[in-house]
């Protein structure tokens, strides 16, 4: 397994964990069960740890694909910037979730508002997760790049010659 393959294995986890965590958190808010909220906090913490792994393998993945045909340096740079922002937010989400988990166990008064704070922050983090995921996919998946539909439409109209 090379660095690029390793990155492809771990890079989906930082996106999946916040989605699952948010679902569990919403269940906990509506059912008013502290255990569900705690499980959501733990899921967000694991997602932050997964972000560390994705970021650690990203540089190696870049070196593995930067010279492949169809891979533009600008796409890699755009993804790298989006991933750094998302990872930073994921780390903060993990930190806030750690505080919320601790507050929940200690029954601090502010623990009642923490699920809402964590939930809103998770939603914001997921917005940037989508950006990081899309820009990463665009590196090798030409069909999702902006303008791909227009190019495909032109190819069918003019017999496939896009020069």
């Amino acid at each position: 397994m090379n660095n690029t393959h390793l990155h492809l294995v771990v890079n989906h986890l930082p996106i999946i964990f916040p989605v699952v965590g948010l679902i569990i958190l919403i269940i906990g808010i509506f059912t008013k069960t502290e255990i569900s909220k705690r499980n959501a906090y733990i899921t967000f913490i694991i997602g932050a740890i997964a972000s560390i792994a994705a970021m650690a393998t990203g540089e190696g993945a870049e070196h593995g694909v930067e010279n492949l045909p169809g891979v533009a340096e600008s796409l890699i740079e755009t993804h790298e910037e989006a991933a750094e922002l998302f990872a930073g937010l994921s780390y903060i989400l993990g930190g806030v979730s750690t505080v919320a988990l601790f507050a929940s166990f200690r029954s601090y008064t502010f623990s009642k508002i923490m699920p809402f704070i964590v939930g809103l922050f998770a939603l914001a983090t997921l917005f940037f997760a989508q950006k990081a995921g899309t820009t990463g996919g665009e590196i090798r998946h030409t069909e999702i790049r902006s303008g791909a539909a227009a190019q495909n439409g032109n190819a069918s109209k003019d017999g496939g010659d896009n020069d």
Side-chain angles (χ1 to χ4, degrees):
M1 180 180 299
N2 62 26
N3 288 334
T4 304
H5 186 208
L6 187 58
H7 183 66
L8 291 172
V9 169
V10 300
N11 72 0
H12 295 91
L13 297 175
I15 298 171
I16 293 167
F17 278 112
V19 170
V20 172
L22 192 58
I23 292 167
I24 296 169
L25 185 62
I26 290 168
I27 290 169
I29 289 170
F30 282 109
T31 61
K32 298 179 178 163
T33 55
E34 209 58 35
I35 192 72
S36 292
K37 295 173 197 170
R38 290 174 183 167
N39 285 330
Y41 301 148
I42 291 168
T43 304
F44 292 133
I45 294 166
I46 294 170
I49 294 167
S51 290
I52 295 169
M55 291 299 291
T57 59
E59 195 68 32
E62 177 181 0
H63 295 302
V65 300
E66 63 189 351
N67 294 320
L68 294 176
V71 175
E73 182 67 29
S74 63
L75 293 172
I76 294 172
E77 290 302 317
T78 300
H79 172 60
E80 188 174 0
E81 290 171 11
E84 286 171 353
L85 178 58
F86 166 53
L89 292 172
S90 183
Y91 303 150
I92 295 169
L93 177 59
V96 172
S97 295
T98 301
V99 170
L101 183 63
F102 181 75
S104 171
F105 278 117
R106 304 291 272 173
S107 298
Y108 289 141
T109 55
F110 68 90
S111 69
K112 301 293 183 207
I113 189 109
M114 289 306 289
F116 302 101
I117 292 170
V118 171
L120 287 174
F121 200 82
L123 281 172
T125 301
L126 282 172
F127 173 80
F128 291 99
Q130 184 274 330
K131 298 293 182 198
T134 299
T135 58
E138 287 175 345
I139 293 171
R140 292 294 289 159
H141 293 281
T142 57
E143 71 276 9
I144 65 169
R145 292 181 189 162
S146 55
Q151 289 176 350
N152 288 339
N154 290 340
S156 64
K157 289 179 187 169
D158 63 11
D161 187 10
N162 285 346
D163 297 332

